[in-house]
Amino acid sequence: MISALQQQYIGFLNTPQLVFNSDEFPYSNFQLTEVKKNLPKDFKMPDSIRLGQRMEVLMEAALSSHRYQILSKNLQIIAEKQTLGELDFIVNDLTLKKTIHLEMVYKFYFYRPELTGNWIDKIIGPNAKDKLRFKLNKMSSHQFPILYRPETTSYLKSLNLKAEDLMQQISFKAQIYLPLNHKINEVEILKDPIQGFYFRVEELEFFNKKDFSFYIPHKNDWVSAPILESIKTDSFSVFYKKISAALKEQRSCIFWVFESDIKVQRHFATWW
């Protein structure tokens, strides 16, 4: 049986990246290749850390291969007792013989066709905040420029590096969910990140069919692909009671749907 951590790691590796053209975002995508598909036997996930931090730990595991050399992780830039920011990773790509300042993001998003603007303006977090546009603006105006701040020079010097010698790239992994009945071919984004649909509580009746069973994964397992092995699924009535309680607390969450133990779907339920 594959462990939950290994399932999360596989899910992390298999999550597609968002792709932006140069007008939308000026930094290129980092291509994670030649990685180990299995976590080390002695791998430990720190306790009580946020989901985003867990993704950073999984990225570190992915980078721990013969191709990459991690020079720095979560390098905090501090000046006059104030933290100016943090550089997620500095890595050597031994194949390309380049040193990379890598920023990484892992997000769950809804596509909201009713919003104005281009596709970036229509991508927003499951709890009706955390806009993709805001995230990209913050990264391009603050996060990436930290590398070139005078205060960063001494930190880079300790690694025998200069800012101008580093390539800056992003790994922006995301799962995107569409409104119920929205056609995928009507969405102006790459199809790979689309994982399923999002449902308001009144729309969940769509699943009230005898062939369906349900499971609400722990948040740490949101990154994992749905699996039936070793989990106890619920009938619709039990599932509906559980999911309704979460939504009343204004907590959107992922759920897995199993149809006749063969077809598996991953969707989101939302409170708003």
Side-chain angles (χ1 to χ4, degrees):
M1 184 187 305
I2 301 177
S3 70
L5 272 176
Q6 179 63 35
Q7 287 285 354
Q8 293 165 18
Y9 181 59
I10 293 171
F12 171 81
L13 293 178
N14 290 339
T15 302
Q17 293 195 93
L18 296 186
V19 178
F20 311 100
N21 63 43
S22 57
D23 292 331
E24 295 167 339
F25 192 66
Y27 300 95
S28 61
N29 272 0
F30 176 74
Q31 299 300 322
L32 183 63
T33 59
E34 301 176 32
V35 300
K36 297 176 181 177
K37 300 298 184 182
N38 294 307
L39 290 170
K41 292 182 179 180
D42 60 349
F43 177 83
K44 299 288 184 183
M45 179 65 73
D47 295 329
S48 303
I49 58 174
R50 295 181 293 102
L51 185 61
Q53 292 172 314
R54 291 177 69 89
M55 298 303 101
E56 290 182 359
V57 175
L58 295 179
M59 174 62 91
E60 183 179 12
L63 290 170
S64 299
S65 72
H66 67 278
R67 174 166 182 165
Y68 305 104
Q69 178 188 21
I70 300 175
L71 303 180
S72 172
K73 177 193 173 187
N74 300 137
L75 179 62
Q76 289 192 330
I77 308 302
I78 301 172
E80 297 180 356
K81 298 183 180 180
Q82 278 196 325
T83 302
L84 304 179
E86 184 176 277
L87 307 181
D88 285 350
F89 291 95
I90 298 178
V91 299
N92 274 337
D93 184 325
L94 302 177
T95 300
L96 296 179
K97 294 181 172 54
K98 292 183 178 179
T99 304
I100 300 166
H101 162 215
L102 172 63
E103 290 295 316
M104 68 156 291
V105 181
Y106 195 110
K107 290 288 187 180
F108 301 87
Y109 282 132
F110 289 175
Y111 177 77
R112 301 277 299 275
E114 74 276 15
L115 299 178
T116 58
N118 69 8
W119 73 271
I120 292 176
D121 300 299
K122 298 177 182 180
I123 302 292
I124 190 170
N127 290 313
K129 46 189 179 181
D130 193 17
K131 297 179 179 179
L132 174 57
R133 174 70 69 188
F134 178 82
K135 182 66 176 177
L136 293 179
N137 288 345
K138 184 177 180 181
M139 295 196 75
S140 59
S141 66
H142 174 72
Q143 193 65 29
F144 277 103
I146 289 173
L147 181 70
Y148 291 96
R149 290 193 61 148
E151 297 88 347
T152 307
T153 303
S154 60
Y155 291 90
L156 295 177
K157 188 175 181 180
S158 67
L159 298 171
N160 295 317
L161 297 172
K162 295 181 180 178
E164 57 268 25
D165 295 331
L166 273 63
M167 173 186 290
Q168 292 189 291
Q169 292 190 310
I170 188 169
S171 172
F172 202 127
K173 288 178 172 285
Q175 296 182 26
I176 294 179
Y177 294 80
L178 305 181
L180 178 61
N181 295 325
H182 196 85
K183 295 180 181 179
I184 293 179
N185 60 7
E186 294 177 355
V187 180
E188 65 229 83
I189 58 177
L190 290 177
K191 308 305 182 285
D192 290 346
I194 298 173
Q195 301 296 307
F197 296 92
Y198 60 86
F199 293 76
R200 296 176 174 86
V201 65
E202 65 272 13
E203 295 173 328
L204 291 172
E205 190 67 25
F206 174 86
F207 291 108
N208 192 1
K209 301 172 185 176
K210 64 179 181 179
D211 290 337
F212 288 167
S213 60
F214 306 86
Y215 181 73
I216 304 173
H218 187 277
K219 191 169 184 178
N220 289 342
D221 293 320
W222 285 9
V223 65
S224 304
I227 53 170
L228 186 57
E229 181 185 2
S230 76
I231 65 171
K232 183 179 181 301
T233 58
D234 295 320
S235 65
F236 177 79
S237 60
V238 174
F239 157 74
Y240 187 81
K241 185 176 180 180
K242 289 180 179 179
I243 204 83
S244 296
L247 298 181
K248 283 180 181 178
E249 297 177 358
Q250 297 189 347
R251 291 188 292 112
S252 298
C253 55
I254 281 178
F255 63 96
W256 299 346
V257 183
F258 301 90
E259 184 177 356
S260 302
D261 297 342
I262 300 174
K263 187 177 180 181
V264 185
Q265 304 171 39
R266 172 165 49 189
H267 299 297
F268 240 104
T270 183
W271 54 268
W272 45 265

